[in-house]
Amino acid sequence: MKSEELFKDAKNYLPGGVDSPVRAFKPYPFFALRGEGSRLFDVDGNSYIDYCLAFGPLVLGHANPQVMDAVKEQLLKGSAYGVPTEAEIELAKDVIKRVPCAEMVRFVNSGTEATMSAIRLARAVTGKKKIVKFEGTYHGAHDYVLVKSGSGAAGLPDSPGVPEETTKNTLLVPFNNEEALTSLVEKKAKNIAAIILEPVMGNVGCIPPKKGYLEFLRDITLENDIILIFDEVITGFRIAEGGAQEYFGVTPDLATFGKILGGGFPIGAFAGRKEFMERIAPSGDVYQAGTFNGNPISITAGIQTLKNLDKKFYSELDAKGLKMRRGIQDVLHDASLEYQVAGLSSMFQLYFTTHEVWDYTQAKTADTDKFNHYFHTLLSNEVFIPPSQFECCFISKAHSSEDIGKTLEAMAEGIKTAEKK
Ligand code: PLP
């Protein structure tokens, strides 16, 4: 029970014993020793088939040899320079080639920085202050967007320390609801700089857009001089080579990235039309900077990761996603339950609710006690999913058919246990 002892010790030095809230599940989280392929190994000698994948980045699985070898080679040449590298151009070109809206890119260190900077840019470009976000979307932990957020903040009130002066400029609407947004835009368009969204909501489980909804957002933003920002920190490089904008065929003005782009190392990026991106310092007047921006380790890992991500890669990954979602449906059917199985591509979640889930309010009808029993049963059967009903599960290239089969067996038991409690 080394994890239990470590957690007890950690709580003396790290708030809540962890460095990010959702990691602190009860009674104590397992402490990682190492990862390999689809498996995560803990300090107590257990291993788990991992569908958390560090909350999304590890699309090739843990410790992919190609990525690790390139990183080792780069490490011997230094880990940060404070001057530009050729590799940054290479990764930028690759992003631009893949992502429809991307004509220029700025690399930063996290998804949080990416959305903060994209919003600042949108405000500068439009000369307007307000932004619209959707209930339950998560765009990182900065003040502009910490309002009815998903992920670890789901269900919590706005955080103390976030000034009202900031959040009064953040307007909220339910996702997938054209009327609510139309009515807001009719009233406030002249003050709205940007609409920011996760094109597939991945921080209250997994909620895809209704058919036509992204097109509707594109039209209403164009008609009202509002910048459309797709936060593709999760969907970017996960659901298609060019992310959700390629998958759904809707091109935003700006997009933000993180997670997969860094190949398992810290990164963020925002990208978009050249006329907007050139407003970023030093070519323009919108300030954005970072000691570790374009860090050579993350950039190297990103380049090697993206090399694997072609059409064939996504068709194989999507097939695994489909197999998983269909398998869960079958398990539910056998148990005569009508819970919702959500997701697309290699993203999935089981909601312990019989309501259809198209927005935050509907997601919140899920029974979190049942989810917790399910989560712990999976864990005791060597399957690790994110420890919250309101996160999304991910599949990687490293997950085998056998892994998925074993996982579905564990899920059948997990669902049974949840129902008995
Ligand atoms: N945007 C989305 C959609 C996310 O899911 C996240 C993190 O999970 C972020 C932004 C913030 O990214 P980071 O944790 O790298 O700051």
Side-chain angles (χ1 to χ4, degrees):
M1 288 291 114
K2 217 170 159 208
S3 291
E4 186 173 10
E5 281 159 34
L6 287 173
F7 190 51
K8 216 164 135 201
D9 197 27
K11 282 195 272 192
N12 295 316
Y13 309 106
L14 305 167
V18 290
D19 273 315
S20 197
V22 77
R23 295 180 198 170
F25 61 81
K26 284 185 177 138
Y28 56 86
F30 65 84
F31 276 57
L33 184 64
R34 66 184 183 91
E36 189 185 328
S38 62
R39 290 249 168 196
L40 185 53
F41 296 76
D42 74 9
V43 292
D44 296 300
N46 305 305
S47 83
Y48 308 89
I49 307 171
D50 183 11
Y51 296 93
C52 180
L53 294 172
F55 292 92
L58 306 176
V59 76
L60 303 178
H62 289 273
N64 175 270
Q66 180 192 344
V67 177
M68 292 303 135
D69 286 349
V71 165
K72 279 184 221 158
E73 200 180 303
Q74 174 56 43
L75 272 171
L76 297 175
K77 294 190 261 176
S79 60
Y81 304 125
V83 293
T85 59
E86 196 175 340
E88 289 160 70
I89 311 174
E90 186 182 340
L91 187 57
K93 281 185 181 165
D94 201 354
V95 171
I96 290 163
K97 194 176 77 197
R98 289 162 190 270
V99 176
C101 84
E103 293 174 2
M104 280 190 139
V105 186
R106 166 61 57 93
F107 292 114
V108 294
N109 300 290
S110 65
T112 297
E113 282 175 62
T115 64
M116 185 176 73
S117 308
I119 290 169
R120 180 178 301 158
L121 178 58
R123 285 176 163 153
V125 164
T126 57
K128 302 194 257 183
K129 280 193 193 155
K130 296 204 186 292
I131 56 163
V132 176
K133 84 177 271 295
F134 295 86
E135 291 167 5
T137 55
Y138 178 68
H139 302 295
H142 63 84
D143 289 5
Y144 304 161
V145 287
L146 215 51
V147 186
K148 224 169 186 185
S149 271
S151 192
L156 296 178
D158 302 344
S159 170
V162 176
E164 280 163 33
E165 290 83 347
T166 307
T167 53
K168 77 169 196 256
N169 285 316
T170 305
L171 310 172
L172 286 168
V173 279
F175 192 55
N176 274 325
N177 180 329
E178 295 194 12
E179 267 170 34
L181 186 71
T182 305
S183 130
L184 181 71
V185 169
E186 270 167 12
K187 284 189 217 122
K188 304 250 160 95
K190 66 175 191 322
N191 298 316
I192 299 174
I195 294 180
I196 184 166
L197 70 146
E198 294 175 71
V200 178
M201 286 176 73
N203 285 284
V204 279
C206 186
I207 309 181
K210 280 188 177 162
K211 200 164 183 314
Y213 190 67
L214 298 180
E215 288 82 349
F216 155 75
L217 293 179
R218 182 61 286 186
D219 290 345
I220 200 167
T221 47
L222 281 173
E223 283 157 16
N224 290 281
D225 183 30
I226 294 169
I227 301 281
L228 182 62
I229 307 174
F230 278 8
D231 178 354
E232 299 230 38
V233 167
I234 287 180
T235 52
F237 315 104
R238 165 133 320 262
I239 65 174
E241 282 176 278
Q245 48 197 285
E246 178 192 321
Y247 191 95
F248 294 106
V250 175
T251 307
D253 300 301
L254 296 174
T256 55
F257 299 94
K259 302 208 189 252
I260 289 174
L261 181 61
F265 290 79
I267 206 166
F270 59 105
R273 286 166 50 188
K274 200 166 192 166
E275 59 170 307
F276 299 152
M277 292 301 292
E278 281 191 326
R279 286 287 303 269
I280 297 292
S283 60
D285 53 353
V286 179
Y287 199 67
Q288 200 295 318
T291 301
F292 287 107
N293 282 5
N295 176 261
I297 307 299
S298 303
I299 296 282
T300 299
I303 290 171
Q304 293 305 323
T305 298
L306 262 55
K307 277 189 180 157
N308 288 272
L309 311 185
D310 55 16
K311 294 238 160 353
K312 181 165 170 281
F313 175 88
Y314 288 104
S315 70
E316 286 171 11
L317 201 61
D318 289 3
K320 290 182 199 174
L322 199 60
K323 183 172 170 165
M324 179 66 86
R325 288 187 299 276
R326 285 198 176 140
I328 305 173
Q329 292 282 18
D330 290 346
V331 168
L332 290 172
H333 182 78
D334 291 348
S336 304
L337 292 168
E338 285 178 16
Y339 294 144
Q340 302 293 310
V341 181
L344 54 85
S345 185
S346 56
M347 299 167 68
F348 69 95
Q349 182 57 299
L350 164 62
Y351 285 108
F352 283 84
T353 177
T354 53
H355 288 259
E356 280 195 20
V357 178
W358 291 106
D359 65 21
Y360 178 72
T361 309
Q362 289 165 342
K364 297 302 266 186
T365 62
D367 186 328
T368 51
D369 284 340
K370 284 189 177 167
F371 176 87
N372 284 336
H373 292 303
Y374 164 75
F375 168 77
H376 281 289
T377 310
L378 291 190
L379 208 58
S380 57
N381 282 283
E382 299 189 350
V383 173
F384 178 51
I385 59 170
S388 159
Q389 171 72 95
F390 304 114
E391 295 288 343
C392 181
C393 307
F394 302 103
I395 301 175
S396 81
K397 178 187 163 78
H399 286 79
S400 64
S401 259
E402 202 190 330
D403 284 335
I404 294 177
K406 195 168 182 303
T407 303
L408 289 168
E409 278 171 30
M411 283 173 171
E413 194 183 324
I415 290 165
K416 219 183 279 164
T417 315
E419 287 308 299
K420 270 199 227 128
K421 297 282 170 177

